Amino acid sequence: MSPIIILGSGLAGYNVAKELRKTDKDTPLTVISADSGYFYSKPMLSNALAQKKAPAAIALNTAEQMATQLNATVRKQTRVTAINPAAHTLQIGDETLAYSRLVLALGADQIRLPISGDAANRIITVNDLDDYGRFHELLAGKREKRVAIIGAGLIGSEFANDLVVAGHQVEVIDIANQPLGRLLPVEGGAMVRDKLQAMGVAWHFGTGTQSVDGDGAAIKVTLENGTTLAADIVLSAVGLKPRIALAQAAGLKVNRGIVVNKNLQTSDPDIYALGDCMEIEGLVMPFVMPIMHAARALGATLAGKPTPVSFPAMPVLVKTPACPTIVSPPAPGAAGEWQVEAGAEGIKSLFVDASGKLLGFALNGAATAERAKLLPLLPAVLA
Ligand SMILES: Cc1cc2nc3c(=O)[nH]c(=O)nc-3n(C[C@H](O)[C@H](O)[C@H](O)COP(=O)(O)OP(=O)(O)OC[C@H]3O[C@@H](n4cnc5c(N)ncnc54)[C@H](O)[C@@H]3O)c2cc1C
């Protein structure tokens, strides 16, 4: 019998394999990954420097250990180049592999802005453990490094906090006028800005990055408002783009992500998707909690017990210890308004509709203690 094949060894790929193995120990299973196949927690990549964690300390298991643990074949550094749904096969270059059912856990790419300049190719992104290894090497050495971060969203703000605690000089550039602009109302954004600024982070809001040029060993970053910054490293963190190319070329339905139904089935009934590459009912949710819910449901489905997924409210802990922050944003386009209560030690922002129903929250500082009380009041993301 052809194996179930999972493409991707991130949290989505390995967790669905673990969930399958809870009840089905024997169905042949293959995990194929373009990267080194380590099992690791990706969120650690943006808070590992302050803890002085080298890349090896973040990897929890090797691909070989995962193969044993999962009773599976794990093929690392192997890129799948095409899928043929009608034939139930996939291609790794010239090699053809047959699958019984296929799971796409392909993740997302960091978006790259079109920035000019002769050092634009030196702009780095940190989206997996291998990237973190390169970043870690660039930061090594006796003296502190000057790091310019493009993007003050979740990942950019977390790296800013981590780098500054680790002793580096940090400047952050964003076209918005505040950090975490898509997650926090103005008041919450101001608290994150001020707390990080007090630790040494320099912000450049309301301006884009125009060009990145070499300046000897250093890098000159020119902003659209004319300011120039001197940096050793330029890190871009401006958002994610689900990896849909393989699915699209195979004729599967794609939109922003690979489109699935509540059984996590794509437009081909034997091909499933979950994680950062997936879109469900118009939602793309590039976070860990949705992966855990989807992996549990899909693991059961693959083991023979069809299980639709549901997503409760899933608050995200923003790893900016300088200003502890927990957000559970309202659904995109939800009608309502932020009601903000600012105290000396924290800010509680509640997003409510016209009838007063709570649709989302953003908690900063001491207000994060209210998470457990507010959580049961939130609507499910997908019931
Ligand atoms: C720095 C950082 C910090 C984060 N912090 C948080 C946080 O605090 N909380 C939170 O909830 N979320 C956080 N996230 C998001 C979270 O980590 C992701 O949602 C999650 O790890 C995505 O897992 P995934 O398995 O879907 O994708 P990935 O981990 O990207 O895995 C994709 C896999 O697919 C493989 N692949 C891709 N193409 C092919 C191909 N053609 N052939 C074979 N294999 C292929 C890749 O090699 C990889 O193994 C963070 C993300 C980053 C980058």
Side-chain angles (χ1 to χ4, degrees), residues 249-297:
L252 301 178
K253 187 172 177 207
V254 297
N255 186 33
R256 199 146 67 89
I258 303 170
V259 174
V260 296
N261 63 20
K262 286 197 76 182
N263 290 323
L264 300 167
Q265 246 164 350
T266 66
S267 52
D268 181 290
D270 286 328
I271 305 180
Y272 300 82
L274 80 165
D276 284 8
C277 67
M278 168 199 91
E279 175 176 327
I280 185 164
E281 300 203 0
L283 298 170
V284 172
M285 296 177 281
F287 296 105
V288 175
M289 284 311 290
I291 289 176
M292 304 316 279
H293 287 281
R296 268 198 294 278

Side-chain angles (χ1 to χ4, degrees), residues 7-13 32-35 40 42-46 78-81 105-108 110 126-127 154-155 158-159 240 243 246 274-277 285-289 291 316-317 319:
L7 303 189
S9 63
L11 288 172
I32 303 178
S33 176
D35 63 31
Y40 71 103
K42 194 187 275 199
M44 285 221 59
L45 301 182
S46 51
T78 302
R79 185 168 288 280
V80 170
T81 48
L106 297 164
Q110 295 261 3
V126 177
N127 192 29
L154 182 111
I155 293 175
E158 291 187 351
F159 274 119
L240 294 167
R243 294 187 178 123
L246 209 51
L274 80 165
D276 284 8
C277 67
M285 296 177 281
F287 296 105
V288 175
M289 284 311 290
I291 289 176
V316 176
L317 181 84
K319 300 187 296 300

Side-chain angles (χ1 to χ4, degrees), residues 51-251:
Q51 298 170 41
K52 301 199 187 323
K53 283 220 156 107
I58 294 176
L60 300 172
N61 291 118
T62 62
E64 293 71 23
Q65 287 168 327
M66 291 308 290
T68 306
Q69 200 185 105
L70 295 167
N71 183 26
T73 301
V74 178
R75 293 185 58 172
K76 60 184 182 181
Q77 265 123 19
T78 302
R79 185 168 288 280
V80 170
T81 48
I83 302 166
N84 183 343
H88 278 60
T89 58
L90 52 80
Q91 295 299 129
I92 301 164
D94 292 339
E95 181 187 353
T96 303
L97 279 187
Y99 62 81
S100 56
R101 282 163 298 163
L102 183 65
V103 176
L104 306 178
L106 297 164
D109 286 313
Q110 295 261 3
I111 292 170
R112 286 192 165 268
L113 296 175
I115 292 174
S116 62
D118 61 23
N121 60 355
R122 286 169 66 186
I123 300 175
I124 60 162
T125 57
V126 177
N127 192 29
D128 60 31
L129 193 53
D130 295 339
D131 292 341
Y132 179 75
R134 284 184 286 273
F135 186 43
H136 196 258
E137 254 171 49
L138 288 171
L139 289 166
K142 286 209 174 59
R143 75 175 172 84
E144 65 190 27
K145 295 287 176 355
R146 297 162 299 177
V147 186
I149 301 177
I150 304 172
L154 182 111
I155 293 175
S157 297
E158 291 187 351
F159 274 119
N161 197 142
D162 203 36
L163 283 159
V164 86
V165 172
H168 301 286
Q169 289 177 33
V170 183
E171 306 205 54
V172 187
I173 306 138
D174 201 298
I175 48 170
N177 289 315
Q178 65 168 84
L180 301 165
R182 266 183 266 165
L183 300 172
L184 294 180
V186 174
E187 295 84 348
M191 184 166 178
V192 173
R193 178 197 66 205
D194 293 348
K195 293 284 184 187
L196 280 168
Q197 192 163 302
M199 294 181 70
V201 173
W203 300 102
H204 302 272
F205 288 121
T207 183
T209 305
Q210 189 172 300
S211 57
V212 171
D213 293 283
D215 184 10
I219 302 175
K220 185 175 83 168
V221 183
T222 306
L223 309 189
E224 279 165 4
N225 66 7
T227 306
T228 58
L229 316 177
D232 301 301
I233 299 169
V234 182
L235 174 69
S236 172
V238 295
L240 294 167
K241 203 170 47 175
R243 294 187 178 123
I244 60 170
L246 209 51
Q248 190 166 28

